[in-house]
Amino acid sequence: MTAERIGHKAISASAGSGKTFQLAHRYIELMARGVKSDRIIALTFSRKAAGEIFDYIVKYLCRAATSPEEASRTAALIGKPGMGQRDFLRILRELMESLQRLHIGTIDSFTVGVAQTFPMELGIPPQFRLTEDSGAASNAQQEVLTRAFNRRQADQAARSAFLRAYKQATFGREEKGLEEKFGALVTDYHGYYQVLPAADAWGDERTIWPEGSPWLKTDGEVKAAADALERLLGQDSLPDKTMKRWQAFIDAARSFGSGSAWKRDLEYLFEKLAPLAEELRRRDCSVKTDGGTCHLSGEECLLALTLVAHIVKTELSVALEKTRGVYRVLDLYEGFYDSLLRRQGRLTFTDVQYLLTAGNRYSGGSVISRMPSAETRLYIDFRLDCKLDHWLLDEFQDTSDLQWEVLSNLADEILQDSSGQRSFFYVGDAKQAIYGWRGGNAKLFGNVLSRYGEHIQLSHLSKSFRSCRAVIDTVNKVFDPLPTGLLPDGAMAQWQRVW
Protein backbone atom coordinates (compact mmCIF):
# COMPACT_ATOMS: atom_id res chain seq x y z
CA MET A 1 0.00 0.00 0.00
CA THR A 2 1.28 3.47 -0.92
CA ALA A 3 0.02 6.84 0.20
CA GLU A 4 0.43 8.22 -3.31
CA ARG A 5 -2.34 7.98 -5.87
CA ILE A 6 -1.33 6.25 -9.10
CA GLY A 7 -3.29 6.97 -12.24
CA HIS A 8 -4.15 4.84 -15.26
CA LYS A 9 -2.24 5.47 -18.47
CA ALA A 10 -2.27 4.50 -22.15
CA ILE A 11 0.53 5.24 -24.59
CA SER A 12 0.06 5.19 -28.36
CA ALA A 13 3.62 4.85 -29.60
CA SER A 14 4.92 4.65 -33.15
CA ALA A 15 7.60 2.16 -34.17
CA GLY A 16 10.94 2.77 -32.50
CA SER A 17 9.59 5.51 -30.22
CA GLY A 18 10.30 3.64 -26.99
CA LYS A 19 7.31 1.53 -25.90
CA THR A 20 9.46 -0.88 -23.87
CA PHE A 21 11.37 2.08 -22.44
CA GLN A 22 8.10 3.58 -21.22
CA LEU A 23 6.84 0.31 -19.78
CA ALA A 24 10.11 -0.34 -17.95
CA HIS A 25 10.04 3.14 -16.40
CA ARG A 26 6.40 2.68 -15.40
CA TYR A 27 7.52 -0.43 -13.51
CA ILE A 28 10.35 1.51 -11.84
CA GLU A 29 7.95 4.36 -11.02
CA LEU A 30 5.57 1.97 -9.26
CA MET A 31 8.37 0.57 -7.11
CA ALA A 32 9.63 4.08 -6.42
CA ARG A 33 6.16 4.93 -5.12
CA GLY A 34 6.31 2.07 -2.65
CA VAL A 35 4.57 -0.70 -4.60
CA LYS A 36 6.03 -4.16 -3.96
CA SER A 37 7.16 -5.99 -7.09
CA ASP A 38 4.91 -8.99 -6.38
CA ARG A 39 1.89 -6.70 -6.75
CA ILE A 40 2.88 -5.69 -10.28
CA ILE A 41 2.30 -7.78 -13.41
CA ALA A 42 3.77 -6.99 -16.83
CA LEU A 43 2.49 -9.07 -19.76
CA THR A 44 3.53 -9.26 -23.40
CA PHE A 45 3.28 -11.78 -26.26
CA SER A 46 6.54 -13.70 -26.35
CA ARG A 47 9.14 -14.97 -23.91
CA LYS A 48 11.77 -12.94 -25.72
CA ALA A 49 9.79 -9.73 -25.26
CA ALA A 50 9.16 -10.56 -21.60
CA GLY A 51 12.89 -11.09 -21.12
CA GLU A 52 13.59 -7.74 -22.75
CA ILE A 53 11.20 -6.00 -20.36
CA PHE A 54 13.01 -7.48 -17.35
CA ASP A 55 16.41 -6.64 -18.86
CA TYR A 56 15.36 -3.04 -19.48
CA ILE A 57 14.12 -2.60 -15.90
CA VAL A 58 17.39 -3.93 -14.49
CA LYS A 59 19.49 -1.92 -16.95
CA TYR A 60 17.89 1.41 -16.11
CA LEU A 61 18.00 0.70 -12.38
CA CYS A 62 21.70 -0.21 -12.60
CA ARG A 63 22.46 2.96 -14.50
CA ALA A 64 20.54 5.10 -12.02
CA ALA A 65 22.23 3.38 -9.08
CA THR A 66 25.76 3.93 -10.39
CA SER A 67 25.58 7.37 -11.99
CA PRO A 68 24.30 10.61 -10.43
CA GLU A 69 23.43 11.93 -13.88
CA GLU A 70 21.41 8.80 -14.74
CA ALA A 71 19.78 8.88 -11.30
CA SER A 72 18.67 12.47 -11.89
CA ARG A 73 17.44 11.63 -15.40
CA THR A 74 15.48 8.56 -14.28
CA ALA A 75 14.01 10.42 -11.31
CA ALA A 76 12.72 13.13 -13.64
CA LEU A 77 11.25 10.56 -16.05
CA ILE A 78 9.25 8.84 -13.31
CA GLY A 79 8.10 12.06 -11.67
CA LYS A 80 10.19 11.64 -8.51
CA PRO A 81 12.83 14.41 -8.83
CA GLY A 82 14.08 14.01 -5.27
CA MET A 83 15.40 10.49 -5.77
CA GLY A 84 19.11 9.72 -5.95
CA GLN A 85 21.50 6.82 -6.52
CA ARG A 86 20.88 5.22 -3.14
CA ASP A 87 17.13 5.18 -3.75
CA PHE A 88 17.52 3.36 -7.04
CA LEU A 89 20.06 0.98 -5.48
CA ARG A 90 17.46 0.14 -2.83
CA ILE A 91 14.82 -0.54 -5.51
CA LEU A 92 17.29 -2.70 -7.46
CA ARG A 93 18.05 -4.71 -4.34
CA GLU A 94 14.33 -5.20 -3.64
CA LEU A 95 13.83 -6.39 -7.22
CA MET A 96 16.69 -8.87 -7.06
CA GLU A 97 15.55 -10.24 -3.69
CA SER A 98 12.07 -10.97 -5.05
CA LEU A 99 12.99 -12.60 -8.37
CA GLN A 100 10.98 -15.73 -7.62
CA ARG A 101 7.87 -13.62 -7.01
CA LEU A 102 8.05 -11.42 -10.11
CA HIS A 103 5.22 -11.45 -12.64
CA ILE A 104 6.85 -10.50 -15.92
CA GLY A 105 5.82 -12.90 -18.65
CA THR A 106 3.41 -13.70 -21.45
CA ILE A 107 -0.37 -13.65 -21.51
CA ASP A 108 -0.23 -17.38 -22.26
CA SER A 109 1.89 -18.09 -19.19
CA PHE A 110 -0.47 -16.02 -17.04
CA THR A 111 -3.59 -17.88 -18.20
CA VAL A 112 -1.87 -21.26 -17.83
CA GLY A 113 -0.83 -20.27 -14.30
CA VAL A 114 -4.43 -19.48 -13.38
CA ALA A 115 -5.62 -22.77 -14.91
CA GLN A 116 -2.99 -24.70 -12.96
CA THR A 117 -4.22 -23.04 -9.77
CA PHE A 118 -7.95 -23.58 -10.41
CA PRO A 119 -8.23 -26.84 -12.44
CA MET A 120 -11.14 -28.26 -10.46
CA GLU A 121 -13.10 -25.00 -10.62
CA LEU A 122 -12.53 -24.86 -14.37
CA GLY A 123 -13.48 -28.51 -14.89
CA ILE A 124 -10.15 -29.82 -16.18
CA PRO A 125 -7.75 -32.46 -14.82
CA PRO A 126 -4.99 -31.05 -12.57
CA GLN A 127 -2.34 -32.59 -14.83
CA PHE A 128 -3.60 -31.25 -18.15
CA ARG A 129 -1.45 -31.37 -21.27
CA LEU A 130 -0.84 -28.35 -23.50
CA THR A 131 -0.50 -28.54 -27.27
CA GLU A 132 0.23 -25.83 -29.81
CA ASP A 133 -2.78 -24.19 -31.44
CA SER A 134 -1.40 -24.75 -34.94
CA GLY A 135 -2.66 -28.04 -36.33
CA ALA A 136 -4.66 -28.85 -33.21
CA ALA A 137 -7.80 -27.17 -34.54
CA SER A 138 -8.14 -29.31 -37.67
CA ASN A 139 -7.41 -32.50 -35.72
CA ALA A 140 -10.00 -31.55 -33.12
CA GLN A 141 -12.60 -30.84 -35.80
CA GLN A 142 -12.01 -34.26 -37.32
CA GLU A 143 -12.31 -36.01 -33.95
CA VAL A 144 -15.49 -34.16 -33.05
CA LEU A 145 -17.10 -34.77 -36.43
CA THR A 146 -16.22 -38.47 -36.25
CA ARG A 147 -17.75 -38.74 -32.80
CA ALA A 148 -20.86 -36.76 -33.72
CA PHE A 149 -21.74 -39.30 -36.43
CA ASN A 150 -20.52 -42.46 -34.71
CA ARG A 151 -23.48 -44.49 -33.41
CA ARG A 152 -21.30 -45.92 -30.65
CA GLN A 153 -20.18 -42.52 -29.39
CA ALA A 154 -23.23 -40.30 -29.91
CA ASP A 155 -26.89 -41.24 -29.64
CA GLN A 156 -29.42 -40.70 -32.40
CA ALA A 157 -30.80 -37.54 -30.80
CA ALA A 158 -27.38 -35.91 -30.70
CA ARG A 159 -26.62 -36.84 -34.31
CA SER A 160 -30.01 -35.59 -35.47
CA ALA A 161 -29.58 -32.34 -33.58
CA PHE A 162 -26.21 -31.82 -35.22
CA LEU A 163 -27.60 -32.38 -38.72
CA ARG A 164 -30.59 -30.11 -38.09
CA ALA A 165 -28.29 -27.37 -36.84
CA TYR A 166 -26.01 -27.76 -39.85
CA LYS A 167 -28.99 -27.57 -42.22
CA GLN A 168 -30.15 -24.41 -40.46
CA ALA A 169 -26.66 -22.91 -40.71
CA THR A 170 -26.72 -23.42 -44.47
CA PHE A 171 -30.38 -22.41 -44.72
CA GLY A 172 -31.45 -22.05 -48.32
CA ARG A 173 -27.96 -22.94 -49.55
CA GLU A 174 -27.53 -26.62 -48.67
CA GLU A 175 -24.43 -28.02 -50.31
CA LYS A 176 -22.57 -31.30 -50.50
CA GLY A 177 -19.31 -32.02 -48.76
CA LEU A 178 -20.42 -32.01 -45.12
CA GLU A 179 -16.96 -32.52 -43.63
CA GLU A 180 -15.30 -29.77 -45.66
CA LYS A 181 -18.12 -27.27 -45.11
CA PHE A 182 -18.33 -28.10 -41.42
CA GLY A 183 -14.60 -27.54 -41.00
CA ALA A 184 -14.80 -24.18 -42.76
CA LEU A 185 -17.77 -23.13 -40.62
CA VAL A 186 -15.98 -23.97 -37.36
CA THR A 187 -12.74 -22.35 -38.51
CA ASP A 188 -14.50 -19.13 -39.53
CA TYR A 189 -16.83 -18.70 -36.56
CA HIS A 190 -15.55 -20.62 -33.54
CA GLY A 191 -13.54 -17.64 -32.31
CA TYR A 192 -16.66 -15.47 -32.34
CA TYR A 193 -18.56 -18.12 -30.40
CA GLN A 194 -15.92 -18.17 -27.68
CA VAL A 195 -16.17 -14.41 -27.24
CA LEU A 196 -19.98 -14.34 -27.63
CA PRO A 197 -21.32 -17.59 -26.10
CA ALA A 198 -24.85 -16.25 -25.45
CA ALA A 199 -27.52 -17.43 -27.89
CA ASP A 200 -29.17 -14.01 -28.12
CA ALA A 201 -25.97 -12.62 -29.66
CA TRP A 202 -26.58 -14.76 -32.74
CA GLY A 203 -29.34 -13.98 -35.21
CA ASP A 204 -31.64 -12.30 -32.67
CA GLU A 205 -33.21 -9.33 -34.41
CA ARG A 206 -34.15 -7.74 -31.06
CA THR A 207 -30.47 -7.66 -30.11
CA ILE A 208 -29.40 -6.27 -33.47
CA TRP A 209 -32.26 -3.77 -33.82
CA PRO A 210 -33.72 -2.98 -30.37
CA GLU A 211 -36.26 -0.66 -32.02
CA GLY A 212 -36.93 -3.13 -34.81
CA SER A 213 -35.71 -3.12 -38.40
CA PRO A 214 -37.97 -1.28 -40.87
CA TRP A 215 -37.06 -3.84 -43.50
CA LEU A 216 -38.36 -6.70 -41.40
CA LYS A 217 -41.59 -4.85 -40.67
CA THR A 218 -42.60 -4.71 -44.33
CA ASP A 219 -45.48 -6.93 -45.33
CA GLY A 220 -46.60 -5.93 -48.81
CA GLU A 221 -48.38 -8.17 -51.32
CA VAL A 222 -45.44 -9.01 -53.55
CA LYS A 223 -47.26 -10.69 -56.41
CA ALA A 224 -49.88 -7.94 -56.59
CA ALA A 225 -47.17 -5.25 -56.44
CA ALA A 226 -45.18 -6.98 -59.19
CA ASP A 227 -48.25 -7.26 -61.42
CA ALA A 228 -49.23 -3.62 -60.86
CA LEU A 229 -45.70 -2.28 -61.47
CA GLU A 230 -45.41 -4.37 -64.63
CA ARG A 231 -48.70 -2.93 -65.91
CA LEU A 232 -47.85 0.71 -65.09
CA LEU A 233 -44.35 0.55 -66.57
CA GLY A 234 -45.82 -1.00 -69.71
CA GLN A 235 -47.85 2.19 -70.15
CA ASP A 236 -44.81 4.48 -69.84
CA SER A 237 -43.40 3.94 -73.33
CA LEU A 238 -39.97 3.06 -71.99
CA PRO A 239 -37.11 2.14 -74.36
CA ASP A 240 -37.02 -1.59 -75.08
CA LYS A 241 -33.69 -2.07 -73.27
CA THR A 242 -34.96 -0.31 -70.15
CA MET A 243 -38.25 -2.22 -70.17
CA LYS A 244 -36.38 -5.54 -70.48
CA ARG A 245 -34.35 -4.61 -67.40
CA TRP A 246 -37.51 -3.87 -65.44
CA GLN A 247 -39.31 -6.97 -66.69
CA ALA A 248 -36.41 -9.21 -65.65
CA PHE A 249 -36.26 -7.58 -62.21
CA ILE A 250 -40.01 -7.85 -61.65
CA ASP A 251 -40.10 -11.52 -62.70
CA ALA A 252 -37.18 -12.36 -60.40
CA ALA A 253 -38.60 -10.38 -57.45
CA ARG A 254 -42.06 -11.93 -57.87
CA SER A 255 -40.69 -15.44 -57.24
CA PHE A 256 -37.84 -14.52 -54.91
CA GLY A 257 -37.76 -16.68 -51.76
CA SER A 258 -35.44 -18.08 -49.11
CA GLY A 259 -33.95 -20.64 -51.50
CA SER A 260 -33.57 -18.30 -54.46
CA ALA A 261 -30.17 -17.69 -55.96
CA TRP A 262 -29.07 -14.20 -56.94
CA LYS A 263 -29.24 -13.66 -60.67
CA ARG A 264 -27.81 -10.86 -62.71
CA ASP A 265 -31.32 -9.85 -63.84
CA LEU A 266 -32.31 -9.30 -60.22
CA GLU A 267 -29.04 -7.87 -59.02
CA TYR A 268 -28.73 -5.18 -61.68
CA LEU A 269 -31.83 -3.14 -60.80
CA PHE A 270 -31.73 -4.05 -57.09
CA GLU A 271 -28.32 -2.38 -56.82
CA LYS A 272 -29.82 0.70 -58.47
CA LEU A 273 -33.00 0.82 -56.38
CA ALA A 274 -31.80 -0.14 -52.88
CA PRO A 275 -29.71 3.03 -52.33
CA LEU A 276 -32.76 5.06 -53.47
CA ALA A 277 -35.08 3.68 -50.78
CA GLU A 278 -35.71 7.13 -49.25
CA GLU A 279 -36.53 8.63 -52.64
CA LEU A 280 -38.92 5.75 -53.30
CA ARG A 281 -40.61 6.39 -49.95
CA ARG A 282 -41.01 10.06 -50.89
CA ARG A 283 -42.58 8.94 -54.18
CA ASP A 284 -40.07 10.96 -56.20
CA CYS A 285 -37.36 8.84 -57.76
CA SER A 286 -35.45 8.61 -61.03
CA VAL A 287 -33.48 5.45 -61.84
CA LYS A 288 -30.50 5.52 -64.20
CA THR A 289 -29.94 2.37 -66.24
CA ASP A 290 -27.91 1.50 -69.30
CA GLY A 291 -31.09 2.16 -71.30
CA GLY A 292 -31.49 5.71 -69.98
CA THR A 293 -33.10 7.47 -67.03
CA CYS A 294 -36.50 6.27 -65.90
CA HIS A 295 -38.59 8.65 -63.75
CA LEU A 296 -41.09 6.73 -61.64
CA SER A 297 -44.51 8.00 -60.72
CA GLY A 298 -45.56 8.12 -57.06
CA GLU A 299 -47.44 4.83 -57.30
CA GLU A 300 -44.59 3.17 -59.21
CA CYS A 301 -42.16 4.28 -56.48
CA LEU A 302 -44.20 2.56 -53.77
CA LEU A 303 -44.61 -0.60 -55.83
CA ALA A 304 -40.86 -0.76 -56.61
CA LEU A 305 -40.14 -0.19 -52.90
CA THR A 306 -42.42 -3.12 -52.04
CA LEU A 307 -40.36 -5.42 -54.26
CA VAL A 308 -37.05 -4.11 -52.90
CA ALA A 309 -38.31 -4.48 -49.34
CA HIS A 310 -39.42 -8.04 -50.05
CA ILE A 311 -35.96 -8.96 -51.32
CA VAL A 312 -34.20 -7.29 -48.38
CA LYS A 313 -36.55 -8.86 -45.84
CA THR A 314 -36.03 -12.29 -47.40
CA GLU A 315 -32.24 -11.96 -47.35
CA LEU A 316 -32.20 -10.63 -43.79
CA SER A 317 -34.49 -13.43 -42.62
CA VAL A 318 -32.26 -16.02 -44.26
CA ALA A 319 -29.15 -14.43 -42.73
CA LEU A 320 -30.74 -14.40 -39.27
CA GLU A 321 -31.82 -18.02 -39.63
CA LYS A 322 -28.39 -19.09 -40.83
CA THR A 323 -26.71 -17.19 -38.00
CA ARG A 324 -28.90 -18.98 -35.45
CA GLY A 325 -27.99 -22.23 -37.16
CA VAL A 326 -24.28 -21.40 -37.03
CA TYR A 327 -24.66 -20.82 -33.30
CA ARG A 328 -26.39 -24.17 -32.82
CA VAL A 329 -23.67 -25.97 -34.77
CA LEU A 330 -20.94 -24.26 -32.75
CA ASP A 331 -22.78 -24.89 -29.49
CA LEU A 332 -23.12 -28.59 -30.25
CA TYR A 333 -19.53 -28.71 -31.49
CA GLU A 334 -18.40 -27.05 -28.27
CA GLY A 335 -20.21 -29.71 -26.23
CA PHE A 336 -18.51 -32.54 -28.09
CA TYR A 337 -15.13 -30.77 -28.04
CA ASP A 338 -15.43 -30.06 -24.34
CA SER A 339 -16.12 -33.66 -23.34
CA LEU A 340 -13.79 -35.22 -25.89
CA LEU A 341 -10.73 -33.02 -25.43
CA ARG A 342 -10.83 -30.40 -22.68
CA ARG A 343 -12.28 -32.64 -19.98
CA GLN A 344 -9.63 -35.20 -20.86
CA GLY A 345 -6.91 -32.63 -20.25
CA ARG A 346 -5.95 -32.01 -23.88
CA LEU A 347 -5.76 -28.23 -24.13
CA THR A 348 -4.40 -25.60 -26.47
CA PHE A 349 -3.41 -22.14 -25.22
CA THR A 350 -6.64 -20.86 -26.79
CA ASP A 351 -8.59 -23.44 -24.79
CA VAL A 352 -7.02 -22.22 -21.56
CA GLN A 353 -8.01 -18.65 -22.37
CA TYR A 354 -11.54 -19.76 -23.19
CA LEU A 355 -11.86 -21.56 -19.86
CA LEU A 356 -11.28 -18.23 -18.11
CA THR A 357 -14.14 -16.46 -19.89
CA ALA A 358 -17.90 -16.43 -19.45
CA GLY A 359 -18.20 -19.15 -22.11
CA ASN A 360 -16.85 -21.98 -19.92
CA ARG A 361 -19.75 -24.40 -19.53
CA TYR A 362 -18.32 -26.31 -16.61
CA SER A 363 -17.79 -23.33 -14.32
CA GLY A 364 -21.03 -21.69 -15.35
CA GLY A 365 -19.17 -18.73 -16.77
CA SER A 366 -16.64 -18.04 -14.04
CA VAL A 367 -14.35 -15.14 -14.73
CA ILE A 368 -11.18 -14.19 -12.96
CA SER A 369 -11.72 -11.49 -10.43
CA ARG A 370 -10.75 -10.25 -7.01
CA MET A 371 -14.25 -9.10 -6.19
CA PRO A 372 -16.29 -11.68 -4.24
CA SER A 373 -19.65 -10.08 -5.01
CA ALA A 374 -20.72 -12.65 -7.58
CA GLU A 375 -20.79 -16.40 -7.11
CA THR A 376 -19.41 -17.07 -10.58
CA ARG A 377 -16.19 -15.15 -9.99
CA LEU A 378 -12.83 -16.71 -9.21
CA TYR A 379 -10.16 -15.09 -7.08
CA ILE A 380 -6.81 -14.49 -8.77
CA ASP A 381 -4.86 -14.34 -5.50
CA PHE A 382 -2.55 -17.07 -6.63
CA ARG A 383 1.19 -17.70 -6.51
CA LEU A 384 2.45 -17.18 -2.96
CA ASP A 385 -0.75 -15.38 -1.93
CA CYS A 386 0.18 -12.22 -3.81
CA LYS A 387 -2.35 -9.69 -5.03
CA LEU A 388 -1.90 -8.09 -8.42
CA ASP A 389 -2.81 -4.42 -8.17
CA HIS A 390 -0.91 -2.89 -11.08
CA TRP A 391 -1.19 -4.18 -14.64
CA LEU A 392 1.22 -3.32 -17.46
CA LEU A 393 0.34 -4.63 -20.93
CA ASP A 394 2.79 -4.43 -23.82
CA GLU A 395 2.01 -4.47 -27.59
CA PHE A 396 -1.69 -4.06 -26.86
CA GLN A 397 -2.55 -3.79 -30.56
CA ASP A 398 -1.91 -7.54 -30.87
CA THR A 399 -4.32 -8.53 -28.07
CA SER A 400 -7.10 -10.81 -29.30
CA ASP A 401 -10.76 -10.53 -28.35
CA LEU A 402 -10.48 -13.78 -26.41
CA GLN A 403 -7.41 -12.61 -24.49
CA TRP A 404 -9.18 -9.39 -23.64
CA GLU A 405 -12.22 -11.35 -22.45
CA VAL A 406 -9.89 -13.03 -19.94
CA LEU A 407 -8.51 -9.70 -18.69
CA SER A 408 -11.42 -7.32 -19.22
CA ASN A 409 -13.20 -8.07 -15.95
CA LEU A 410 -10.02 -7.33 -14.00
CA ALA A 411 -9.43 -4.19 -16.03
CA ASP A 412 -12.99 -3.08 -15.42
CA GLU A 413 -12.55 -3.41 -11.65
CA ILE A 414 -9.19 -1.62 -11.68
CA LEU A 415 -10.27 1.23 -13.95
CA GLN A 416 -13.32 1.92 -11.83
CA ASP A 417 -11.36 1.75 -8.56
CA SER A 418 -11.26 5.26 -7.14
CA SER A 419 -8.73 4.50 -4.38
CA GLY A 420 -5.69 5.32 -6.53
CA GLN A 421 -4.01 2.17 -5.19
CA ARG A 422 -4.52 0.07 -8.31
CA SER A 423 -3.58 1.00 -11.86
CA PHE A 424 -3.85 -0.07 -15.48
CA PHE A 425 -1.17 0.80 -18.04
CA TYR A 426 -0.93 -0.28 -21.66
CA VAL A 427 1.14 0.62 -24.70
CA GLY A 428 0.62 -0.14 -28.35
CA ASP A 429 0.43 1.08 -31.91
CA ALA A 430 -2.36 0.12 -34.31
CA LYS A 431 0.01 0.73 -37.24
CA GLN A 432 2.15 -2.19 -36.03
CA ALA A 433 -0.76 -4.64 -35.78
CA ILE A 434 0.53 -7.69 -37.66
CA TYR A 435 -1.18 -10.52 -35.81
CA GLY A 436 -4.72 -10.21 -37.14
CA TRP A 437 -4.27 -13.69 -38.63
CA ARG A 438 -4.10 -15.16 -35.11
CA GLY A 439 -6.93 -13.06 -33.69
CA GLY A 440 -5.20 -9.81 -32.78
CA ASN A 441 -7.69 -6.93 -32.75
CA ALA A 442 -6.00 -3.54 -33.12
CA LYS A 443 -9.33 -1.78 -32.48
CA LEU A 444 -9.21 -2.85 -28.83
CA PHE A 445 -6.75 -0.04 -28.08
CA GLY A 446 -9.34 2.54 -29.06
CA ASN A 447 -12.26 0.58 -27.64
CA VAL A 448 -10.73 0.63 -24.18
CA LEU A 449 -10.23 4.39 -24.43
CA SER A 450 -13.80 4.86 -25.64
CA ARG A 451 -15.14 3.02 -22.63
CA TYR A 452 -12.79 4.25 -19.91
CA GLY A 453 -11.31 7.39 -21.48
CA GLU A 454 -12.22 9.67 -18.58
CA HIS A 455 -10.19 7.45 -16.25
CA ILE A 456 -7.12 7.04 -18.50
CA GLN A 457 -4.40 9.52 -19.35
CA LEU A 458 -3.49 9.09 -23.03
CA SER A 459 -0.03 9.98 -24.35
CA HIS A 460 1.37 9.85 -27.88
CA LEU A 461 4.95 9.07 -28.88
CA SER A 462 5.92 9.78 -32.48
CA LYS A 463 9.66 10.44 -32.38
CA SER A 464 11.54 7.40 -33.67
CA PHE A 465 14.88 6.41 -32.18
CA ARG A 466 15.24 3.40 -34.48
CA SER A 467 15.24 4.73 -38.06
CA CYS A 468 17.34 7.34 -39.81
CA ARG A 469 15.84 10.60 -41.13
CA ALA A 470 15.64 9.38 -44.74
CA VAL A 471 13.58 6.31 -43.82
CA ILE A 472 11.19 8.32 -41.65
CA ASP A 473 10.71 10.98 -44.35
CA THR A 474 9.98 8.30 -46.95
CA VAL A 475 7.39 6.59 -44.76
CA ASN A 476 5.71 9.91 -43.98
CA LYS A 477 5.58 10.86 -47.66
CA VAL A 478 3.95 7.55 -48.55
CA PHE A 479 1.45 7.13 -45.72
CA ASP A 480 0.62 10.60 -44.43
CA PRO A 481 -1.18 12.08 -47.47
CA LEU A 482 -2.92 8.94 -48.78
CA PRO A 483 -4.78 9.99 -51.95
CA THR A 484 -8.57 10.16 -51.78
CA GLY A 485 -10.23 7.20 -53.43
CA LEU A 486 -7.35 4.81 -52.87
CA LEU A 487 -9.24 3.06 -50.07
CA PRO A 488 -12.88 3.12 -48.85
CA ASP A 489 -13.78 6.29 -46.92
CA GLY A 490 -14.21 4.37 -43.66
CA ALA A 491 -10.77 2.81 -43.95
CA MET A 492 -9.21 6.17 -44.76
CA ALA A 493 -10.84 7.82 -41.74
CA GLN A 494 -9.70 5.02 -39.45
CA TRP A 495 -6.15 5.28 -40.79
CA GLN A 496 -6.03 9.02 -40.19
CA ARG A 497 -7.16 8.51 -36.59
CA VAL A 498 -4.26 6.16 -35.81
CA TRP A 499 -1.66 7.80 -38.11
Side-chain angles (χ1 to χ4, degrees):
M1 183 71 69
T2 173
E4 299 184 57
R5 295 181 63 84
I6 301 171
H8 312 299
K9 191 171 184 179
I11 297 179
S12 177
S14 297
S17 59
K19 291 191 293 296
T20 306
F21 176 91
Q22 294 293 330
L23 190 144
H25 279 80
R26 172 71 170 198
Y27 198 103
I28 295 171
E29 176 191 348
L30 291 172
M31 293 194 68
R33 293 181 183 276
V35 178
K36 298 298 181 183
S37 59
D38 61 0
R39 303 176 78 90
I40 308 170
I41 181 168
L43 298 178
T44 185
F45 287 88
S46 69
R47 293 177 181 176
K48 179 182 178 182
E52 289 177 351
I53 290 173
F54 175 77
D55 290 345
Y56 269 67
I57 295 170
V58 173
K59 179 176 72 172
Y60 296 129
L61 281 174
C62 287
R63 287 180 178 178
T66 56
S67 165
E69 292 79 13
E70 287 295 330
S72 177
R73 179 170 179 269
T74 302
L77 284 169
I78 65 174
K80 301 285 288 184
M83 293 186 66
Q85 288 177 258
R86 289 188 177 183
D87 298 304
F88 290 111
L89 180 61
R90 173 183 53 79
I91 294 174
L92 179 60
R93 183 180 294 112
E94 289 179 9
L95 187 74
M96 293 297 102
E97 289 175 349
S98 58
L99 285 177
Q100 74 278 14
R101 298 192 300 275
L102 297 184
H103 305 289
I104 301 175
T106 65
I107 292 181
D108 284 340
S109 65
F110 168 73
T111 54
V112 170
V114 177
Q116 289 172 335
T117 305
F118 297 110
M120 301 305 292
E121 291 88 343
L122 297 173
I124 56 177
Q127 302 300 323
F128 58 83
R129 176 165 54 90
L130 281 170
T131 60
E132 294 292 334
D133 286 349
S134 57
S138 59
N139 293 335
Q141 291 170 16
Q142 183 60 51
E143 286 191 57
V144 170
L145 192 61
T146 299
R147 176 168 178 171
F149 295 102
N150 189 322
R151 287 185 171 84
R152 295 181 179 180
Q153 293 182 296
D155 58 31
Q156 180 60 40
R159 297 199 305 275
S160 298
F162 205 97
L163 282 172
R164 287 196 301 272
Y166 178 78
K167 187 174 182 179
Q168 184 182 13
T170 56
F171 184 75
R173 306 285 192 276
E174 289 85 358
E175 300 178 42
K176 297 180 180 179
L178 172 62
E179 183 177 331
E180 180 182 350
K181 298 298 180 184
F182 168 79
L185 187 150
V186 172
T187 299
D188 291 342
Y189 298 109
H190 193 224
Y192 296 111
Y193 174 90
Q194 291 179 319
V195 176
L196 292 169
D200 61 4
W202 296 74
D204 186 334
E205 62 183 86
R206 295 167 298 181
T207 300
I208 303 170
W209 302 285
E211 304 300 323
S213 167
W215 293 112
L216 292 173
K217 293 178 181 178
T218 59
D219 194 25
E221 289 292 333
V222 177
K223 186 177 184 305
D227 293 344
L229 182 59
E230 183 178 26
R231 184 180 68 256
L232 289 175
L233 290 172
Q235 299 170 3
D236 288 347
S237 301
L238 297 174
D240 289 344
K241 190 172 185 179
T242 302
M243 190 60 203
K244 286 181 180 178
R245 288 289 192 188
W246 277 103
Q247 188 66 59
F249 171 75
I250 292 170
D251 290 342
R254 182 188 283 116
S255 60
F256 192 79
S258 59
S260 299
W262 276 85
K263 299 178 180 178
R264 183 57 186 164
D265 291 339
L266 174 71
E267 188 174 0
Y268 179 83
L269 261 182
F270 178 83
E271 289 183 347
K272 302 283 186 182
L273 291 167
L276 302 175
E278 288 303 317
E279 286 89 337
L280 293 173
R281 289 190 181 95
R282 293 197 300 265
R283 305 187 185 192
D284 182 17
C285 181
S286 295
V287 184
K288 295 181 180 179
T289 69
D290 51 6
T293 300
C294 172
H295 182 74
L296 301 177
S297 68
E299 186 177 359
E300 289 170 340
C301 284
L302 294 182
L303 293 171
L305 181 60
T306 298
L307 299 187
V308 170
H310 166 67
I311 295 168
V312 173
K313 180 180 180 179
T314 300
E315 286 295 282
L316 285 177
S317 298
V318 169
L320 291 171
E321 184 71 12
K322 289 174 66 176
T323 302
R324 291 190 289 268
V326 169
Y327 173 83
R328 289 184 61 207
V329 169
L330 295 172
D331 197 49
L332 289 166
Y333 170 83
E334 187 61 36
F336 281 114
Y337 184 97
D338 210 45
S339 61
L340 184 64
L341 300 174
R342 289 200 196 102
R343 301 303 159 212
Q344 305 304 317
R346 298 163 57 190
L347 305 176
T348 65
F349 285 107
T350 300
D351 286 327
V352 176
Q353 293 167 13
Y354 175 64
L355 290 172
L356 298 174
T357 69
N360 182 8
R361 296 165 178 247
Y362 184 90
S363 67
S366 292
V367 290
I368 53 177
S369 167
R370 286 180 50 180
M371 303 298 290
S373 57
E375 293 180 359
T376 58
R377 291 184 171 182
L378 300 173
Y379 294 102
I380 63 163
D381 303 335
F382 66 104
R383 285 190 194 169
L384 305 180
D385 297 322
C386 76
K387 292 183 178 180
L388 303 174
D389 291 323
H390 302 275
W391 289 71
L392 287 67
L393 301 183
D394 189 26
E395 302 292 356
F396 196 76
Q397 75 278 352
D398 292 325
T399 305
S400 71
D401 290 314
L402 189 60
Q403 289 168 332
W404 183 239
E405 278 293 303
V406 173
L407 302 175
S408 60
N409 190 65
L410 288 166
D412 185 71
E413 292 171 2
I414 293 170
L415 287 163
Q416 296 189 61
D417 189 328
S418 60
S419 69
Q421 299 302 301
R422 305 175 71 189
S423 69
F424 188 76
F425 173 94
Y426 67 106
V427 296
D429 177 22
K431 299 186 296 296
Q432 296 181 64
I434 59 174
Y435 289 109
W437 58 272
R438 69 176 186 189
N441 183 359
K443 293 181 180 180
L444 284 174
F445 192 102
N447 292 348
V448 174
L449 286 175
S450 297
R451 181 170 181 178
Y452 305 105
E454 61 182 15
H455 302 292
I456 301 175
Q457 176 191 350
L458 173 64
S459 300
H460 296 275
L461 299 178
S462 57
K463 182 178 180 180
S464 176
F465 298 94
R466 181 184 302 165
S467 301
C468 65
R469 184 78 256 170
V471 171
I472 294 173
D473 288 343
T474 301
V475 171
N476 286 336
K477 287 180 180 178
V478 171
F479 291 104
D480 192 14
L482 289 179
T484 304
L486 180 64
L487 295 169
D489 292 342
M492 293 284 285
Q494 185 175 337
W495 175 258
Q496 289 301 329
R497 282 195 297 272
V498 300
W499 179 251

